């Protein structure tokens, strides 16, 4: 497993996961086609499939991604899809970053708010303010306000392009509104203004020279500096980008310099009809992890890694973690990744599965619930089985999505002109093909999955020694029901398809998935359970499958994937498909008018080569062997006045690429860096900007092949399939223990009470849902957990104190000042 633990730096890492469920009572009050987007400020980073002809669309889509930049607002927009015109934004849910913690891990209905251009803001502005004392020509003393607007950062795109921003700077009071304006900066989201404006502050007649010059309190309370950012519309109306307000009273005699987050207008986003737009149901989990240097986590990491050796397993740190978390998924995700990282997952899964089997009374219900064991295996398969799914299912899924045949066999849902017998033949063709690909795929099954299946199989046989089928159903309940069938019905979730399938294709995939679940569910055909189908049409369909060869094929496949015998390395001879998607690349040559332009292309990365194509599934028009890639780095926005750009350096000229958003750009850079990590000729230095008009924009060097002026970014893991940051996962577990400290302490008290008195348990409601098999061993582990977490608390508090002291309000070190 590739290792990626942190160095000596403290890292702050953000991630977002959750689910977009459904919307209801949307306007306009008629059947329309809807989709939903996720935006960081004004940048779209995720889009659902289009739900056709609905008033209450169900999306049911999960999301999970790292957030590579700072942001102010997380927003969800509901769109009305239009064929001929621009998609219409129906409404939004906008949550401030600091308020996300209120909704973490909870399912909530949010009322849609109107989309008002005055409230759609992002970015920040760098200001320096100063009050100077001046003596006028007539000898009177007045005060001059100096406003130096330096720059802005992170302004939004306008119609997909960088904006043409300018700023108005005003001194506002009860009886004055003096306004000045900067020059317009063309095609940039990070304008450098560096303009200074002067405003005279009128003195009151009561001023005397008895003390240092000081603005009268009654005047100072009423004056404020206001900076408004605008996009120059040329022939159309200018667009508001945000504003900030700074009371003059904060200045006194000091020079005041800080970054300010742009704010919406105070009268923005107010409507009397906010309840009429509908509502959206979401589950959001935002995490921000402050990852300390690796040595800080040694005690907690060791405590977790020895969990599989603890007897009983319910007294281990890993098991206790999952017991105290309200949502087990919060704990399972980092725990599985950490144990995978340190090669400790298989014995832990075996231990918790054995405990799970103790409570299983009937063999036909084995591993059917959402226990700790099943969740750990589910998460392991998602992480380890990505490439396995692609080499097994991607070709047939592509065929189904790109050349769809009608497969509806439900008489109620048949369209006019459809023939149910023809549709049944089409569905049978697809099911046969998917089934055949699966049962022939055992050679490609990852060794780790085989090891886990081997353990589950033998534990099941041990628990139910008189049932010869249970050893197979123990494996099929995972590999068919929870792995292949789920991937078939949601190919975009498992990166088998870049886009969401349309409604008809989704229905076809659902029917195929149902068939695969039934065929793979050991004994469902041989035991004549077809009558248990809820849908009569599925029962009729499966009558054609009552053949011995299907059962035998499943049995042989399950035997193969639950064997610990070494697999032939033939699967490694095929290139690993890592990532694909649509982006823009700068033309390598020149156009007829002499300018290089950007063209939309389909990019594909495997473990062997990086290619781009005119369209998906077309032959590549440009190929870079992975071994020839020298570096992959971000490209300064100033090079082409475009956001989310990166460069791939190889033997020829750099390949400049623009991703669609910051999340996508970060994922591509990460994937390219991982696959090229071991290249022998990787560069140590690169140019952060482009070579244009005879010189490098970054260092002004005039020789195109001169050595780079900036050091390449830090090394990244070499494993092309799995990247795990062990320290980050341990930090996440530490945070979960911290959040649930009160539960840990109550559980510790309960164990102490049981161990000492051996009598009736006190306050059973506090811990009756917890598994306490051995109170002494559990008490011992809990004490270790609490002590370790308290020590980590001290380390985090020292870091936070240090960070806060170096970022005082209004100081030059303050990265973001907020004044309203």
């Amino acid at each position: 497993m590739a290792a990626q633990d942190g160095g000596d730096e403290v890292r702050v890492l953000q991630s977002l996961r959750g689910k977009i469920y459904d919307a209801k009572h949307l306007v306009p009050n008629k059947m329309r086609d809807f989709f939903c987007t996720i935006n960081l400020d004004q940048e779209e980073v995720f889009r659902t499939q289009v739900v056709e002809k609905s008033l209450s669309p169900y999306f049911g889509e999960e999301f999970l991604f790292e957030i590579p930049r700072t942001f102010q607002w997380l927003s969800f927009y509901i769109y009305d899809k239009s064929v001929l015109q621009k998609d219409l934004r129906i409404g939004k849910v906008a949550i401030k970053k600091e308020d996300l913690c209120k909704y973490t891990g909870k399912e909530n209905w949010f009322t849609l708010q109107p989309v008002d251009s005055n409230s759609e803001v992002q970015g920040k502005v760098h200001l320096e303010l100063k009050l100077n004392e001046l003596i006028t020509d007539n000898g009177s003393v007045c005060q001059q306000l100096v406003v130096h607007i330096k720059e802005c950062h992170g302004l939004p795109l306008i119609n997909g392009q960088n904006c043409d921003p300018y700023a108005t700077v005003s001194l506002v009071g009860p009886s004055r509104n003096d306004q000045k304006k900067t020059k317009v900066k063309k095609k940039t989201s990070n304008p450098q203004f560096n303009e200074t404006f002067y405003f005279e502050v009128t003195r009151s007649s009561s001023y005397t020279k008895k003390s240092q010059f000081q603005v009268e309190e009654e005047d100072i309370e009423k004056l404020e500096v206001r900076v408004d950012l605008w996009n120059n519309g040329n022939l159309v109306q200018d667009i508001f980008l945000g504003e900030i307000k700074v009371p003059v009273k904060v200045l006194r005699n000091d020079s005041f310099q800080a970054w300010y987050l742009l704010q919406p207008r105070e009268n923005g986003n107010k409507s009397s009809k906010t309840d009429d737009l509908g509502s959206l149901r979401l589950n959001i989990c935002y995490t921000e992890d402050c990852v300390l240097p690796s040595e800080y986590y040694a005690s907690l990491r060791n405590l977790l890694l020895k969990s599989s050796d603890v007897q009983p397993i319910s007294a281990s740190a890993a098991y206790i973690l999952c017991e105290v978390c309200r949502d087990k998924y919060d704990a399972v995700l980092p725990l599985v990744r950490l144990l995978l990282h340190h090669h400790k997952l298989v014995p832990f899964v075996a231990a918790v599965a054995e405990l799970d089997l103790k409570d299983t009374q009937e063999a036909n219900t084995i591993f059917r619930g959402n226990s700790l064991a099943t969740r750990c295996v589910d998460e392991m398969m998602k992480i380890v089985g990505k490439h396995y799914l692609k080499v097994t299912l991607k070709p047939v899924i592509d065929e189904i999505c790109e050349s769809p045949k009608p497969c509806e066999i439900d008489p109620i849902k048949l369209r006019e002109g459809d023939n149910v017998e023809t549709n049944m033949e089409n569905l049978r063709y697809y099911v046969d093909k998917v089934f055949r690909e699966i049962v022939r795929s055992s050679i490609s099954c990852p060794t780790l999955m085989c090891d886990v299946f081997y353990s589950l199989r033998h534990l099941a046989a041990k628990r139910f020694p008189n049932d010869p089928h249970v050893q197979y159903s123990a494996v099929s309940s995972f590999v068919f029901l929870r792995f292949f069938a789920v991937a078939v019905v949601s190919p975009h979730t498992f990166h088998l398809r870049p886009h969401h399938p349309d409604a008809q294709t989704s229905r076809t995939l659902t029917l195929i998935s149902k068939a695969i679940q039934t065929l793979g569910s050991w004994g469902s055909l041989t035991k004549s359970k077809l009558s248990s189908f809820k849908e009569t049409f599925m029962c009729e369909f499966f009558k054609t499958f009552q053949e011995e060869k299907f059962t035998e094929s499943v049995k042989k496949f399950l035997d193969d994937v639950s064997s610990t015998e070494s697999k032939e390395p033939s699967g490694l001879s095929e290139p690993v498909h890592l990532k694909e998607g649509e982006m823009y690349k700068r033309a390598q040559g020149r156009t007829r008018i002499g300018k290089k332009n950007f063209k939309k292309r389909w990019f594909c990365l495997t473990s062997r080569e990086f290619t781009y194509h005119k369209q998906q599934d077309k032959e590549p028009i440009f190929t870079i062997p992975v071994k020839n890639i020298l570096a992959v780095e971000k490209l300064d926005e100033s090079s082409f006045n475009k956001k989310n750009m990166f460069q791939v350096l190889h033997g020829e000229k750099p390949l400049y690429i623009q991703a669609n958003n910051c999340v996508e750009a970060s994922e591509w850079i990460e994937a390219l860096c991982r696959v090229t990590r071991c290249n022998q000729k990787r560069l140590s230095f690169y140019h952060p900007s482009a070579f244009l008009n005879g010189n490098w924009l970054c260092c002004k060097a005039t020789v195109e092949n001169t050595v780079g002026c900036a050091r390449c970014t830090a090394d990244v893991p070499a494993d092309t399939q799995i990247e795990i940051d062990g320290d980050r996962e341990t930090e996440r577990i530490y945070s979960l223990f911290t959040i649930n400290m009160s539960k840990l302490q109550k559980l510790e008290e309960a164990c102490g009470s049981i161990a000492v008195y051996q009598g009736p348990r006190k306050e059973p409601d506090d811990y009756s849902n917890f598994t306490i098999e051995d109170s002494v061993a559990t008490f011992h582990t809990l004490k270790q957990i609490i002590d370790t977490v308290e020590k980590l608390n001290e380390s985090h508090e020292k870091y936070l104190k240090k960070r806060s002291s170096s970022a005082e309000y209004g100081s030059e070190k303050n990265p973001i000042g907020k004044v309203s």
Side-chain angles (χ1 to χ4, degrees):
M1 193 68 58
Q4 185 191 10
D5 289 320
D8 296 329
E9 296 289 329
V10 175
R11 298 172 292 144
V12 179
L13 304 174
Q14 307 172 97
S15 66
L16 183 73
R17 68 174 174 84
K19 187 171 183 177
I20 302 172
Y21 289 96
D22 53 347
K24 62 182 180 181
H25 309 315
L26 298 180
V27 294
N29 191 23
K30 56 183 177 179
M31 306 292 275
R32 303 301 293 264
D33 300 339
F34 295 106
F35 66 92
C36 181
T37 68
I38 302 177
N39 291 47
L40 297 174
D41 297 321
Q42 295 305 297
E43 182 179 20
E44 181 184 319
V45 295
F46 181 86
R47 178 178 292 209
T48 69
Q49 64 182 337
V50 177
V51 178
E52 298 177 351
K53 295 181 174 53
S54 176
L55 274 178
S56 300
Y58 180 80
F59 302 106
E61 296 202 25
E62 297 180 349
F63 53 88
L64 170 63
F65 51 82
E66 300 293 313
I67 300 177
R69 65 170 177 85
T70 58
F71 68 100
Q72 294 174 249
W73 294 85
L74 174 69
S75 302
F76 298 80
Y77 290 84
I78 295 289
Y79 282 83
D80 178 358
K81 179 73 174 175
S82 176
V83 177
L84 301 178
Q85 299 177 342
K86 186 177 179 181
D87 298 332
L88 176 65
R89 290 192 290 188
I90 299 297
K92 69 175 183 179
V93 173
I95 307 172
K96 278 188 175 181
K97 177 182 175 180
E98 51 265 36
D99 292 336
L100 285 171
C101 59
K102 300 177 184 177
Y103 308 104
T104 290
K106 301 174 184 176
E107 186 181 307
N108 292 281
W109 279 102
F110 294 88
T111 300
L112 291 179
Q113 302 297 320
V115 179
D116 174 8
S117 60
N118 288 332
S119 67
E120 304 292 293
V121 303
Q122 73 174 59
K124 56 186 179 180
V125 59
H126 192 186
L127 284 185
E128 183 178 10
L129 306 173
K130 189 175 182 180
L131 281 171
N132 291 331
E133 182 179 346
L134 297 178
I135 300 178
T136 63
D137 294 339
N138 61 12
S140 62
V141 179
C142 73
Q143 198 165 38
Q144 184 184 61
L145 173 65
V146 183
V147 181
H148 180 193
I149 179 167
K150 295 188 172 185
E151 59 181 318
C152 291
H153 183 79
L155 298 181
L157 300 178
I158 303 296
N159 296 324
Q161 301 295 322
N162 281 328
C163 54
D164 295 336
Y166 69 90
T168 60
V169 182
S170 308
L171 181 62
V172 181
S175 59
R176 65 187 296 176
N177 186 0
D178 302 337
Q179 186 179 97
K180 303 178 188 293
K181 178 181 172 182
T182 69
K183 296 177 181 178
V184 175
K185 300 296 179 180
K186 293 289 186 180
K187 302 300 178 188
T188 177
S189 295
N190 302 318
Q192 302 284 326
F193 292 112
N194 282 320
E195 294 190 42
T196 304
F197 301 99
Y198 301 90
F199 299 89
E200 183 177 309
V201 179
T202 305
R203 295 297 304 151
S204 67
S205 58
S206 62
Y207 170 73
T208 67
K209 295 184 179 180
K210 292 181 181 179
S211 60
Q212 276 193 321
F213 187 88
Q214 185 172 331
V215 180
E216 295 283 334
E217 291 296 325
E218 58 183 3
D219 293 336
I220 206 72
E221 292 291 337
K222 300 174 183 178
L223 289 177
E224 67 179 11
V225 177
R226 192 178 74 199
V227 179
D228 293 81
L229 269 293
W230 298 85
N231 176 65
N232 182 39
N234 291 322
L235 300 179
V236 297
Q237 186 175 1
D238 293 353
I239 298 174
F240 175 75
L241 300 178
E243 70 177 12
I244 63 108
K245 297 178 181 180
V246 184
V248 177
K249 66 181 180 180
V250 304
L251 303 181
R252 304 301 180 182
N253 297 329
D254 300 326
S255 175
F256 191 88
Q257 182 177 179
W259 281 98
Y260 298 88
L261 293 175
L262 290 172
Q263 302 296 318
R265 277 181 173 164
E266 288 186 351
N267 62 346
N269 203 22
K270 290 185 178 179
S271 171
S272 60
K273 297 183 178 180
T274 56
D275 293 331
D276 300 333
L277 299 177
S279 53
L280 181 64
R281 184 162 58 118
L282 302 169
N283 190 315
I284 306 167
C285 183
Y286 168 76
T287 58
E288 182 177 287
D289 296 321
C290 170
V291 184
L292 302 174
S294 189
E295 61 269 17
Y296 286 86
Y297 299 107
S299 297
L300 180 57
R301 183 169 55 240
N302 293 337
L303 191 59
L304 292 161
L305 294 180
K306 69 179 184 181
S307 291
S308 57
D309 299 325
V310 175
Q311 294 293 334
I313 189 65
S314 60
S316 68
Y319 192 93
I320 291 171
L321 169 69
C322 300
E323 283 280 89
V324 298
C325 288
R326 185 176 62 86
D327 185 349
K328 275 189 169 58
Y329 183 81
D330 290 339
V332 166
L333 181 59
L335 178 62
V336 167
R337 293 174 68 85
L338 180 68
L339 295 176
L340 265 176
H341 182 59
H342 292 280
H343 309 284
K344 295 287 188 179
L345 182 64
V346 177
F348 179 74
V349 168
V352 294
E354 188 172 16
L355 182 62
D356 196 11
L357 287 169
K358 287 182 180 178
D359 297 327
T360 305
Q361 302 304 318
E362 296 182 16
N364 61 357
T365 62
I366 192 169
F367 299 132
R368 291 300 175 95
N370 280 323
S371 65
L372 176 56
T374 58
R375 291 194 177 201
C376 284
V377 178
D378 285 349
E379 197 56 45
M380 177 274 297
M381 292 190 298
K382 288 179 185 176
I383 297 170
V384 178
K386 287 181 181 179
H387 177 55
Y388 180 32
L389 282 175
K390 285 181 178 177
V391 298
T392 305
L393 291 182
K394 187 171 180 10
V396 65
I397 294 293
D398 286 344
E399 178 187 340
I400 295 168
C401 293
E402 291 162 16
S403 304
K405 299 178 181 180
C407 294
E408 185 56 71
I409 58 174
D410 184 351
I412 299 175
K413 295 183 178 181
L414 283 176
R415 297 184 178 182
E416 187 176 350
D418 278 356
N419 184 298
V420 69
E421 293 181 359
T422 302
N423 289 4
M424 192 173 291
E425 290 176 5
N426 293 337
L427 181 59
R428 175 63 190 262
Y429 167 78
Y430 284 146
V431 170
D432 280 344
K433 197 160 188 176
V434 172
F435 179 81
R436 187 166 58 248
E437 293 298 327
I438 291 173
V439 296
R440 290 177 178 177
S441 71
S442 59
I443 195 69
S444 301
C445 187
T447 303
L448 186 66
M449 287 177 63
C450 294
D451 290 343
V452 169
F453 294 154
Y454 176 83
S455 296
L456 298 178
R457 176 178 177 174
H458 286 273
L459 286 169
K462 179 181 176 183
R463 174 67 178 86
F464 298 101
N466 298 322
D467 189 330
H469 299 298
V470 73
Q471 58 176 316
Y472 295 107
S473 58
V475 179
S476 67
S477 63
F478 287 106
V479 73
F480 277 100
L481 274 65
R482 295 172 177 263
F483 186 59
F484 283 119
V486 177
V488 167
V489 81
S490 303
H492 55 283
T493 304
F494 291 84
H495 308 291
L496 299 177
R497 294 290 297 173
H499 306 296
H500 310 285
D502 59 43
Q504 182 177 336
T505 307
S506 293
R507 173 61 177 167
T508 297
L509 293 173
T510 299
L511 293 172
I512 296 170
S513 178
K514 288 184 179 215
I516 293 302
Q517 289 183 55
T518 303
L519 291 173
S521 182
W522 177 255
S524 61
L525 298 179
T526 56
K527 293 183 181 180
S528 302
K529 293 184 179 178
L530 295 179
S531 58
S532 64
F533 274 108
K534 293 180 181 178
E535 305 99 335
T536 306
F537 60 88
M538 289 300 291
C539 182
E540 292 298 317
F541 177 63
F542 270 106
K543 287 181 180 179
T544 64
F545 284 87
Q546 290 186 3
E547 304 169 16
E548 187 67 22
K549 68 174 186 178
F550 286 97
T551 303
E552 289 303 312
S553 296
V554 170
K555 181 177 181 296
K556 183 179 183 306
F557 171 73
L558 296 175
D559 278 331
D560 290 343
V561 296
S562 59
S563 168
T564 58
E565 295 178 5
S566 298
K567 299 276 188 292
E568 296 177 15
S570 59
L572 299 177
S573 64
E574 293 296 320
V576 180
H577 183 98
L578 300 174
K579 190 169 179 62
E580 63 181 349
E582 208 168 56
M583 295 187 290
Y584 296 84
K585 66 97 187 175
R586 188 177 186 240
Q588 299 286 306
R590 290 192 174 273
T591 63
R592 292 177 182 176
I593 59 174
K595 281 191 174 182
K596 292 186 177 181
N597 58 4
F598 283 79
K599 294 182 178 180
K600 185 185 291 186
R601 292 289 182 257
W602 185 265
F603 288 80
C604 182
L605 174 64
T606 73
S607 55
R608 290 183 185 172
E609 58 190 21
F610 181 49
T611 59
Y612 63 74
H613 317 241
K614 278 194 174 182
Q615 294 178 348
Q616 184 184 4
D617 297 325
K618 299 293 185 182
E619 289 298 311
I621 56 178
F622 190 76
T623 299
I624 307 175
V626 162
K627 64 181 181 181
N628 292 350
I629 296 177
L630 306 176
V632 182
E633 298 289 345
K634 291 182 179 179
L635 186 72
D636 283 352
E637 179 187 322
S638 58
S639 297
F640 302 106
N641 288 326
K642 292 182 181 293
K643 285 189 168 187
N644 306 316
M645 288 206 65
F646 63 95
Q647 52 184 316
V648 179
L649 307 178
H650 55 111
E652 304 173 24
K653 293 180 180 293
L655 177 60
Y656 297 128
I657 302 172
Q658 183 187 28
N660 294 296
N661 56 63
C662 65
V663 171
E664 186 179 272
S666 177
E667 289 175 349
W668 271 104
I669 293 171
E670 184 180 297
L672 283 159
C673 285
R674 275 206 310 276
V675 77
T676 59
R677 164 67 178 80
C678 295
N679 287 0
Q680 294 182 353
K681 296 183 179 180
R682 279 182 65 90
L683 297 177
S684 299
F685 292 88
Y686 77 107
H687 290 284
S689 294
F691 186 84
L692 295 175
N693 302 321
N695 67 81
W696 289 101
L697 299 181
C698 42
C699 60
K700 307 305 178 186
T702 56
V703 180
E704 189 169 4
N705 62 354
T706 190
V707 176
C709 57
R711 183 172 289 279
C712 289
T713 50
D715 291 339
V716 293
D719 193 312
T720 59
Q721 297 180 57
I722 303 171
E723 179 206 359
I724 293 176
D725 182 339
D727 292 342
R728 202 259 179 89
E729 306 306 336
T730 313
E731 166 65 25
R732 184 94 293 276
I733 292 171
Y734 153 75
S735 298
L736 293 171
F737 275 137
T738 303
I739 293 168
N740 294 284
M741 181 55 72
S742 61
K743 290 184 181 179
L744 291 171
Q745 291 169 339
K746 287 181 179 179
L747 189 55
E748 185 185 37
E749 292 173 9
C751 289
S753 174
I754 296 168
V756 172
Y757 297 106
Q758 293 294 322
R761 298 184 178 187
K762 297 181 179 180
E763 302 176 8
D765 290 342
D766 288 337
Y767 59 88
S768 58
N769 291 327
F770 296 139
T771 302
I772 305 178
E773 292 181 287
D774 186 327
S775 58
V776 175
T778 306
F779 180 89
H780 178 68
T781 303
L782 284 163
K783 189 175 187 312
Q784 289 180 297
I785 293 171
I786 293 170
D787 290 345
T788 303
V789 169
E790 287 176 350
K791 288 179 182 177
L792 271 171
N793 283 342
E794 295 174 5
S795 300
H796 281 79
E797 287 169 4
K798 287 180 182 177
Y799 165 71
L800 292 173
K801 186 176 181 181
K802 181 180 179 182
R803 185 172 72 168
S804 62
S805 66
S806 65
E808 294 178 0
Y809 179 80
S811 71
E812 294 184 24
K813 295 180 181 179
N814 181 23
I816 296 176
K818 287 192 285 187
V819 175
S820 58

